[in-house]
Amino acid sequence: MQDVAKRLDKAFQAFYRRVKGGEKPGFPRFKPASQYDSFTYPQGGYKLDGKKLKLSKIGDVRMKLHRPLEGKVKTCTIIQKNGKYYACLSAEVEPKQLPYCADAVGVDLGVRTLAVTSDGEHFKSPAYLRASEKRLKRLQRSVSRKKKGSNRRKKAVHVLARLHEHVANQRKDYNHKVSRGLVNRYGLIAFEDLNVLGMTKNHNLAKSIVDSGWSQLVSFTTYKAESAGRVVKQVDPRNTSQLCSSCGVVVKKLLKDRKHHCLCCGYVADRDENAAFNILKRATA
């Protein structure tokens, strides 16, 4: 009940902040039981006992511990998602900082390639949503054919939700690996400060942008860098693809042009690598 009060307070604080900021207020709405998919033990009422988790008012629950617990456990949140139950234990631990590293890198985010660094490293875009698109369409049609409110429709919705969750987990896993690699190798990591929400209004690129998970990659890299004692900077994205990283002259290009060729100084490079150099220059200026 303490956590329910905290959630309610958080919703109203966000509402007042939006009103004060002149945004669309969005008054907090009542959440029915179907949308309330988690609850939290804020102080006690839970205990780890080998392969079991003891929960107050519920009892012993068998579990799979993903990794050994470190630090002092502060809260336990039970989450129900697509027929599976998860216990999220938040713990207070000392940050493990990595050794000092003076290397810096600029990262250009893209659609064809997820990320290109100023060191010339290319991280491919796996396009997990595109790979599962045919199956998703088939399952969506199956949901549409079922009668609303029927048990068969509920089962079809559950199967569709499981596939969406699988795609999201694939994307999350890949972005975790890329962000961990960047944080381990560089002391300064620079990204563009992109307006991703605005860019998705381009209907030709919206699906590819969402499938790439740019914001997720930046978010994962930022929190990993913070705990490791590294720095992440976001710079103005204006003209990073058009400027020549060698002489600073604007070289106009269309989206289909994948090579940067400066007629002023003769510098030739991959378009994304040139942009990554410009991002790094702005971050270190």
Side-chain angles (χ1 to χ4, degrees):
M1 289 181 73
Q2 291 177 29
D3 185 66
V4 173
K6 283 182 183 177
R7 293 188 191 193
L8 182 62
D9 179 63
K10 187 178 178 181
F12 274 100
Q13 291 297 335
F15 166 68
Y16 294 133
R17 176 184 52 77
R18 291 191 295 268
V19 170
K20 191 177 285 186
E23 303 173 41
K24 189 177 179 182
F27 190 81
R29 291 181 296 173
F30 171 76
K31 297 293 189 296
S34 59
Q35 289 188 21
Y36 208 89
D37 54 9
S38 69
F39 63 92
T40 301
Y41 293 96
Q43 294 179 357
Y46 56 91
K47 183 182 178 183
L48 283 170
D49 185 13
K51 291 186 177 181
K52 291 183 178 180
L53 178 65
K54 291 185 176 182
L55 298 172
S56 174
K57 311 297 182 185
I58 295 174
D60 292 353
V61 182
R62 284 181 61 83
M63 65 167 185
K64 291 180 182 178
L65 192 63
H66 289 190
R67 60 178 180 269
L69 270 174
E70 297 177 19
K72 185 180 179 182
V73 180
K74 305 293 282 186
T75 64
C76 174
T77 302
I78 308 300
I79 304 165
Q80 187 271 334
K81 191 174 183 181
N82 295 328
K84 294 180 181 179
Y85 287 85
Y86 303 90
C88 179
L89 298 160
S90 61
E92 201 173 57
V93 295
E94 290 296 323
K96 293 180 180 178
Q97 295 201 348
L98 294 173
Y100 174 75
C101 178
D103 295 338
V105 70
V107 183
D108 180 61
L109 301 173
V111 173
R112 293 188 181 185
T113 308
L114 173 64
V116 177
T117 70
S118 53
D119 287 347
E121 188 174 6
H122 291 236
F123 295 97
K124 67 174 185 178
S125 183
Y128 293 117
L129 180 64
R130 296 278 185 186
S132 301
E133 203 167 20
K134 284 186 178 178
R135 194 175 169 208
L136 283 167
K137 286 181 178 178
R138 180 168 55 80
L139 291 176
Q140 185 62 61
R141 286 196 297 269
S142 175
V143 171
S144 300
R145 285 194 292 265
K146 304 293 187 294
K147 185 179 177 181
K148 287 186 178 180
S150 67
N151 286 330
R152 293 185 68 189
R153 184 183 175 92
K154 288 177 184 176
K155 288 179 182 178
V157 167
H158 177 67
V159 173
L160 177 62
R162 287 288 296 274
L163 182 56
H164 273 296
E165 184 186 7
H166 177 65
V167 172
N169 287 341
Q170 285 179 306
R171 187 183 302 116
K172 193 183 294 183
D173 178 67
Y174 186 71
N175 283 335
H176 269 303
K177 289 173 180 175
V178 173
S179 60
R180 172 48 61 194
L182 291 171
V183 170
N184 284 352
R185 279 179 289 161
Y186 301 102
L188 171 65
I189 306 158
F191 292 100
E192 293 173 292
D193 188 12
L194 297 170
N195 177 14
V196 178
L197 190 62
M199 293 173 76
T200 54
K201 292 179 181 178
N202 180 344
H203 297 297
N204 294 321
L205 296 173
K207 187 180 289 185
S208 298
I209 290 171
V210 171
D211 197 12
S212 298
W214 295 343
S215 297
Q216 190 180 71
L217 176 60
V218 174
S219 175
F220 285 175
T221 308
T222 302
Y223 88 76
K224 285 182 174 70
E226 188 177 353
S227 63
R230 303 293 167 89
V231 178
V232 171
K233 282 189 178 181
Q234 289 184 271
V235 301
D236 185 2
R238 198 175 307 163
N239 284 336
T240 51
S241 295
Q242 308 295 336
L243 284 172
C244 176
S245 60
S246 178
C247 65
V249 172
V250 175
V251 182
K252 290 291 182 183
K253 305 179 198 68
L254 298 174
L255 196 60
K256 64 180 181 180
D257 300 328
R258 305 315 303 170
K259 279 286 182 183
H260 169 80
H261 185 194
C262 181
L263 299 175
C264 186
C265 67
Y267 178 65
V268 179
D270 180 86
R271 173 198 178 110
D272 297 331
E273 287 180 25
N274 175 69
F277 273 116
N278 286 324
I279 293 165
L280 179 58
K281 280 185 175 181
R282 290 184 183 181
T284 55

